[in-house]
Amino acid sequence: MKTNDLTDLAIPGTTLDVRVTPKASRNKIERDGNALRVYVTTVPESGKATAAVQKLLAKALGVPKSRLTLIRGEISRDKVFRIDD
C-alpha cells in the first residue's frame, strides 16, 4: 500500500476535500491542487469504502483514524474530513 506523506496537512481543525474512487486496482492517494484523490480497492457498500479511505488518510497524515471525522459525503464520492484535536 503506497501513500503520499501528508503530515504537513495534519493540523487540528483542517478540513480535507477528498474525491474517492472505489474498486481501484490499488490503494493510493494523489494530491490534486487543494483536494485529494483517494483510490481504494474496497467496494462502495455498507460504508466499506469510506472506512478504507479513513484508514488510508490517517496513515498518510500520521494521526489515529479516530481523529478524522467525516463531515460530508457519507454515500458520495466527494467527501470532506476534518482533523480533530
Side-chain angles (χ1 to χ4, degrees), residues 52-71:
V53 168
Q54 184 178 21
K55 182 179 178 181
L56 194 62
L57 276 176
K59 183 174 181 178
L61 290 165
V63 298
K65 64 181 179 179
S66 61
R67 286 189 51 202
L68 285 177
T69 302
L70 181 65
I71 297 174

Side-chain angles (χ1 to χ4, degrees), residues 11-41:
I11 301 167
T14 301
T15 58
L16 304 170
D17 295 324
V18 177
R19 175 75 176 198
V20 178
T21 302
K23 294 179 18 176
S25 60
R26 63 183 172 181
N27 292 330
K28 69 177 180 174
I29 299 174
E30 293 179 354
R31 285 190 186 208
D32 186 21
N34 291 334
L36 299 172
R37 294 191 60 100
V38 179
Y39 300 87
V40 291
T41 58

